[in-house]
Amino acid sequence: MKCRHCAQTLEHVFLDLGFAPPSNAYLQAEDLRRPEKYFPLKVRVCHACWLVQTEDYAQADELFNADYAYFSSTSSGWLAHAKRYSEAMTERLSLGPQSLVIEVASNDGYLLKNFIAANIPCLGIEPTASTAEVAERQGIPVLREFFGEALGQRLAAQGRQADLIAGNNVYAHVPDINDFTRGLRAALKPGGTITLEFPHLMQLIAQVQFDTVYHEHFSYLSLHTVSSIFDAAGLRVYDVETLPTHGGSLRVFGCHTDDARTTTAAVASMLAEEDHQGLRSLRTYQDFQARADRVKDGLLAFLLEQKRAGKKVVAYGAAAKGNTLLNYAGVKPDLLPLVCDAAEAKQGKFMPGSHIPILAPQALAESQPDFVLILPWNIAAEVIAQNRALKQGGTRFATAVPEMRLWDDA
Ligand SMILES: [Zn+2]
């Protein structure tokens, strides 16, 4: 396989998680009597440009047939994040009725509705019909297509280049990142700004967040690699911010290569930090599998210890990262009999691979567990705060990444 960015032959494995079903392929009861499809889940690193990328597999298109659609507006924290972003960008870029804001992967309009409310014209790009419909009902024009160079050029030819192009949590999920980035350039007005948010590879490595690896997540990105991808497409990263979302994300600000704006000191500073953390050293990547295995072993040791002691452990949060962790560890309902999740669309279904049943959050209290394992560790404090009564009743809360932790002091 060749690197998806620089076409170098990929020689090094970053992480091999064996085989796993697609992380969002939640099962109905009747599916439990059918065979389940597993795909290899292997991630490689390019030693030329350091792009960390999932390996290609046969029949990859079958991965995306799962009918589960994520609606961004179900998370109140994410809505607040989007509102703050809209206000900050409107002020920083002096956006107004004469501007155009394009969002790639606009989902249900959770972000663009803020621009609509401020009378700033916008355009969403979203191939998923169910989420696009919700956005359109709020008055947001949506093109129901996948974004890439062809669409970017079509928008430019129609005179619809943008002052601001936003992409939140889409960049790591596009299969052809070079084509996508050339599309951004084509759709960007001279003097315009692109912002992209994506989980930062530096945090993934430092915090052993191997459970954020799943098939639909094609690229694991550093600022170094994103700068290189931008350069190749005629763009330049001129600023960068760190965000707490998804265990530590970057928001990069891009412009045309020849834009008059100077590159901020924050860019050089983050590049230096990445070098300091070994992101351009092969050893850093080669050490990762053993660190991920230690996390998996720690979880299994904990679950086996509680089972032997006759203690009951249940899980909270039927998220993609939970599926990666449980499937890699081979955890089944004998060790973890149920998982609770607030998303109604998941309740009554089963986790792919592990077949652990997903119940409404009330089941947490009803099952009187000794321990609650919070699978989305990034929201652990929030989950504990919502279940204060359970904690006061003696239930203990735990997370497994970057190592087994009991939240007795939280
Ligand atoms: Zn490469």
Side-chain angles (χ1 to χ4, degrees):
M1 180 184 166
K2 305 265 193 225
C3 172
R4 292 199 186 98
H5 169 49
C6 76
Q8 175 76 229
T9 297
L10 297 177
E11 294 171 8
H12 305 284
V13 174
F14 171 60
L15 182 66
D16 186 349
L17 296 177
F19 280 66
S23 67
N24 60 359
Y26 296 94
L27 303 169
Q28 308 274 7
E30 63 265 28
D31 295 329
L32 300 182
R33 291 185 286 113
R34 297 195 184 109
E36 188 175 12
K37 209 157 228 178
Y38 277 58
F39 296 84
L41 186 47
K42 193 186 267 190
V43 182
R44 294 185 174 269
V45 60
C46 173
H47 60 279
C49 75
W50 305 107
L51 178 62
V52 172
Q53 51 205 295
T54 50
E55 195 170 272
D56 289 325
Y57 6 74
Q59 301 168 329
D61 49 332
E62 290 182 33
L63 270 171
F64 305 102
N65 291 344
D67 60 0
Y68 176 73
Y70 178 75
F71 288 81
S72 294
S73 293
T74 51
S75 163
S76 56
W78 188 240
L79 283 176
H81 175 79
K83 188 161 193 292
R84 280 195 303 275
Y85 166 86
S86 316
E87 289 164 359
M89 293 308 289
T90 299
E91 172 153 349
R92 180 168 174 170
L93 304 178
S94 306
L95 300 175
Q98 75 295 342
S99 312
L100 176 64
V101 177
I102 292 179
E103 187 187 14
V104 184
S106 51
N107 199 273
D108 57 10
Y110 73 101
L111 175 73
L112 290 181
K113 68 178 184 182
N114 297 296
F115 291 105
I116 291 281
N119 210 18
I120 298 165
C122 50
L123 174 66
I125 295 168
E126 175 56 64
T128 307
S130 55
T131 50
E133 274 166 26
V134 175
E136 283 166 342
R137 281 204 295 273
Q138 299 176 82
I140 300 164
V142 180
L143 278 178
R144 295 186 187 190
E145 292 181 48
F146 285 98
F147 186 77
E149 187 172 18
L151 178 52
Q153 286 180 346
R154 184 147 44 91
L155 290 168
Q158 294 167 349
R160 298 163 93 187
Q161 283 183 319
D163 298 273
L164 170 63
I165 304 178
N168 292 335
N169 298 309
V170 59
Y171 205 42
H173 289 80
V174 295
D176 188 344
I177 200 164
N178 288 336
D179 179 78
F180 183 93
T181 310
R182 287 191 298 263
L184 293 175
R185 181 182 184 275
L188 187 68
K189 204 181 272 184
T193 293
I194 296 161
T195 71
L196 299 175
E197 292 179 20
F198 49 84
H200 192 187
L201 176 65
M202 190 175 86
Q203 298 299 341
L204 185 155
I205 292 175
Q207 305 296 320
V208 210
Q209 298 163 348
F210 78 93
D211 55 341
T212 63
V213 169
Y214 49 93
H215 298 103
E216 300 90 328
H217 194 171
F218 286 91
S219 306
Y220 302 83
L221 299 160
S222 62
L223 180 59
H224 188 273
T225 302
V226 169
S227 298
S228 163
I229 296 168
F230 268 43
D231 277 350
L235 294 168
R236 170 164 57 90
V237 175
Y238 75 88
D239 197 8
V240 63
E241 293 173 352
T242 56
L243 304 168
T245 47
H246 298 283
S249 296
L250 290 184
R251 176 186 288 154
V252 297
F253 294 75
C255 59
H256 288 284
T257 303
D258 57 3
D259 192 281
R261 280 170 289 190
T262 52
T263 300
T264 66
V267 173
S269 164
M270 181 54 76
L271 291 172
E273 176 64 16
E274 288 185 347
D275 278 347
H276 178 70
Q277 302 249 353
L279 261 63
R280 286 199 283 173
S281 156
L282 195 53
R283 169 58 74 78
T284 304
Y285 299 93
Q286 291 176 324
D287 284 349
F288 192 72
Q289 180 89 44
R291 295 176 63 214
D293 285 350
R294 276 198 290 278
V295 175
K296 173 200 55 128
D297 294 349
L299 169 66
L300 278 173
F302 170 80
L303 292 174
L304 289 168
E305 183 189 332
Q306 303 316 325
K307 188 180 181 185
R308 286 198 195 105
K311 305 283 190 193
K312 185 173 193 179
V313 187
V314 303
Y316 185 94
K321 39 169 101 62
N323 287 322
T324 295
L325 176 66
L326 299 178
N327 285 325
Y328 184 50
V331 173
K332 298 281 189 285
D334 64 311
L335 291 177
L336 210 51
L338 64 93
V339 54
C340 292
D341 197 284
E344 285 179 25
K346 292 180 188 171
Q347 293 165 10
K349 294 186 178 164
F350 296 81
M351 301 278 267
S354 66
H355 298 181
I356 296 169
I358 305 167
L359 304 176
Q362 303 88 282
L364 216 53
E366 288 162 9
S367 63
Q368 295 289 312
D370 296 290
F371 294 93
V372 175
L373 174 68
I374 302 171
L375 295 171
W377 36 260
N378 50 315
I379 57 163
E382 196 179 317
V383 172
I384 294 167
Q386 285 162 4
N387 292 282
R388 195 54 71 191
L390 202 61
K391 192 166 188 296
Q392 282 161 354
T395 295
R396 302 170 76 187
F397 288 79
T399 47
V401 177
E403 59 191 348
M404 275 312 299
R405 172 185 171 185
L406 289 171
W407 291 65
D408 292 342
D409 49 355

